[in-house]
Amino acid sequence: MIETGKTYVVMGLLDPESLAYAIGRTIQRLGGKVIFTIQNELLKKRYLDSNPKLTAQERAALDYRFCDVSAGDEVKALFAGLGDVAGVVH
């Protein structure tokens, strides 16, 4: 159940055709706030920034953070800076 106004982290965003993007958009439609994670700047540039299915406005509206889920220190740092999180999807 998605709680309106609560924050959810959707990890592993690649592009607008990815499962992570679809899940995040569904959470947003149900009233949740979504923070996406992208593994690194290179993947963002290669798959997200260059994808013609997202407008510049849609791209700018994405709340994302860089986080490699295989690096425990990055995951810890991510969640240390987020405050209350109602749910996580990876």
Side-chain angles (χ1 to χ4, degrees), residues 10-26 29 34 36-39 43-44 47-48 51 53-54 62 89-90:
V10 178
M11 304 182 88
L13 178 63
L14 188 60
D15 63 33
E17 296 174 7
S18 67
L19 187 56
Y21 186 78
I23 291 168
R25 297 297 294 164
T26 300
R29 279 195 303 277
V34 175
F36 290 99
T37 68
I38 302 171
Q39 185 176 11
L43 290 179
K44 178 184 171 285
Y47 296 103
L48 192 63
N51 195 299
K53 292 188 177 190
L54 284 179
L62 289 174
V89 178
H90 178 262

Side-chain angles (χ1 to χ4, degrees), residues 2-3 8 14 29 34 36 41 45 60 63 68 80 85 90:
I2 302 302
E3 297 180 68
Y8 296 84
L14 188 60
R29 279 195 303 277
V34 175
F36 290 99
E41 181 71 34
K45 285 180 181 178
D63 185 354
D68 180 346
V85 172
H90 178 262

